[in-house]
Amino acid sequence: MKTIQLSEHFTYKKLIKFTIPTILMMIFTSVYGIVDGIFVSNCVGSDSFAAVNLIMPVLMILGSIGFMIGTGGSALVSKTMGEGEKEKANKYFSMLIYFVVISGFILTIIGIIFIKPISCLLGAEGNILNDCVLYGKTLLIALIAFMLQNCFQSFLVVAEKPQIGLIISICVGLTNMALDFLFIYVFKMGVFGAALATGISQIIGGIIPFIYFISKNNSPLKLVKAKFEGKALVQACINGSSEMLTNLSMSLVNMLYNIQLMKFAGPNGVVAYGIIMYVGFIFTGTYLGYGIGSAPIISYHYGAGNKEELKNLFKSSVILMSVTSFVMTLFAEILSKPLAGIFVSYDRELLDMTIIAIRLFSISYIISGFNIFTSSFFTALNNGVVSATISFLRTLLFQIAMILILPAILGLNGIWLAVVVAEILALVVSGLFLVINRRKYDYV
């Protein structure tokens, strides 16, 4: 099969063909995350499931640094390749990967030291606190690999090998699911078994692409000797700050959701929200996958000065995202009951609460796709400031405001609708930035 190169003209068919492996990679990653939750919820219990959902945002915050370097660095590397400086692009790529390894080691030590007091701050106590600490410490051991996995997701697209990213993701997912069954269902290892299964799969996801890039390969990217370049690192961090901020904000907001839900609905509310997050990964994963898959193409043509192709990519992406958002929202509403039943069919009251929560929360999917793409689009244009502003307002400021305001007016349903109102406000901001910057980048 002929490899599609970043320099080509992208029709709808070619754009879909190039981005579909990354989209499927994100969806499959979401699916094996859901399986993880199913095993914990049904085989270990709702308290352990609540513990996993309380501490998971902290782990995601640490892992999001790899995502920031991957998305921001891929924009910088793709742009450099488009400018015809392939050797410099490889040095940037290598330096960024080595930085992820070093920073991951430091964060692992810090995380292990502070995991218990952080769990206490999140409201965990008793058995839930013990499970939080056990789950967190186990996964922290695999943090470097998790950060590399997040980072390589973007760089495999830059290397024109998105299908390898998909294959790795499938291997990771199958490993996680098989080990979940073995450790949790067969050996009855509880939360520790769940964390061990996830950690081993993350190690596979981080090491395989590292070996690929350090070995002789036929992609444009290779790991080479590289010196530290502060300017390039800062540029990559600024470019990827929106994606970092999105992950950071989501994790902080998830903590706030859990705190509010403990007040309004107790542990059942935290469980219901955890299910929404697992289910939501599939739908938002589609948007994120398209953003990661299309960003290097946009960056390349921006760096090469191909304005007509940039216009083509923007128009095609907006149309594709609009159609996908409608379909995703429709599916979420129709499948709310069976999706909730997979996790909590054993508890009728919790099941009913979760069905209502999914139906209200899912209204946001018709809007979030466009906001996610707009942020990714400006990252691809190496405009990290605009991208980060959209992400900051969308995932942090607007959501925090709505989480605090709406429950006082609508009660529990206000918590589920907070994200919907936040996405509507973010849509206005995204539209304004696109209008303001249209002449600067000539994408319309």
Side-chain angles (χ1 to χ4, degrees), residues 269-339:
V270 175
V271 172
Y273 182 66
I275 294 169
I276 289 176
M277 289 295 96
Y278 280 115
V279 171
F281 287 155
I282 294 178
F283 298 99
T284 57
T286 302
Y287 308 143
L288 290 169
Y290 182 82
I292 293 171
S294 62
I297 309 171
I298 295 167
S299 296
Y300 183 94
H301 287 284
Y302 170 61
N306 299 331
K307 294 183 179 180
E308 290 304 313
E309 186 61 22
L310 195 60
K311 291 178 182 178
N312 168 60
L313 290 167
F314 177 73
K315 178 184 176 182
S316 300
S317 296
V318 169
I319 292 173
L320 287 172
M321 198 56 60
S322 298
V323 173
T324 303
S325 296
F326 176 78
V327 174
M328 290 288 101
T329 305
L330 186 63
F331 279 168
E333 296 294 336
I334 293 173
L335 298 174
S336 58
K337 186 173 182 178
L339 287 171

Side-chain angles (χ1 to χ4, degrees), residues 21 25 28 162-173 208:
M25 177 182 69
F28 193 79
Q163 66 277 7
I164 293 181
L166 175 59
I167 293 170
I168 292 172
S169 180
I170 291 173
C171 292
V172 169
I208 291 178

Side-chain angles (χ1 to χ4, degrees), residues 236-253:
C237 291
I238 292 174
N239 289 344
S241 60
S242 60
E243 283 68 24
M244 166 70 174
L245 192 57
T246 296
N247 283 272
L248 180 63
S249 299
M250 285 174 60
S251 298
L252 293 174
V253 167

Side-chain angles (χ1 to χ4, degrees), residues 7-26:
S7 56
E8 295 182 26
H9 166 67
F10 281 79
T11 60
Y12 281 105
K13 181 179 179 180
K14 192 175 291 185
L15 188 56
I16 293 171
K17 187 177 180 180
F18 188 82
T19 57
I20 200 69
T22 312
I23 294 171
L24 292 175
M25 177 182 69
M26 296 300 291

Side-chain angles (χ1 to χ4, degrees), residues 331-349:
F331 279 168
E333 296 294 336
I334 293 173
L335 298 174
S336 58
K337 186 173 182 178
L339 287 171
I342 292 172
F343 290 89
V344 288
S345 58
Y346 55 83
D347 188 323
R348 185 67 200 182
E349 181 183 351

Side-chain angles (χ1 to χ4, degrees), residues 390-440:
I390 294 172
S391 294
F392 171 75
L393 294 173
R394 170 181 167 261
T395 60
L396 190 63
L397 186 62
F398 291 156
Q399 280 208 56
I400 287 177
M402 293 306 107
I403 294 169
L404 295 175
I405 294 171
L406 290 185
I409 302 171
L410 302 174
L412 181 59
N413 286 342
I415 298 179
W416 309 132
L417 287 170
V419 67
V420 179
V421 179
E423 292 288 0
I424 292 172
L425 294 173
L427 182 64
V428 175
V429 174
S430 296
L432 286 174
F433 275 122
L434 286 171
V435 171
I436 292 170
N437 289 280
R438 69 190 188 282
R439 292 182 179 175
K440 179 179 179 180

Side-chain angles (χ1 to χ4, degrees), residues 114-141:
F114 291 102
I115 194 71
K116 185 171 183 178
I118 290 172
S119 299
C120 292
L121 285 174
L122 295 174
E125 55 186 26
N127 290 332
I128 292 180
L129 173 60
N130 293 333
D131 282 345
C132 280
V133 173
L134 179 60
Y135 189 86
K137 283 186 175 181
T138 305
L139 274 185
L140 280 167
I141 295 172

Side-chain angles (χ1 to χ4, degrees), residues 24-85:
L24 292 175
M25 177 182 69
M26 296 300 291
I27 292 175
F28 193 79
T29 300
S30 304
V31 169
Y32 78 71
I34 289 174
V35 172
D36 207 40
I38 292 171
F39 272 106
V40 174
S41 180
N42 287 280
C43 298
V44 187
S46 59
D47 279 354
S48 294
F49 188 53
V52 171
N53 288 315
L54 278 174
I55 200 61
M56 183 58 75
V58 178
L59 302 173
M60 294 304 293
I61 287 174
L62 298 177
S64 65
I65 293 177
F67 198 64
M68 174 184 70
I69 297 298
T71 53
S74 65
L76 175 63
V77 172
S78 298
K79 178 175 176 289
T80 305
M81 289 169 61
E83 293 168 344
E85 299 188 72

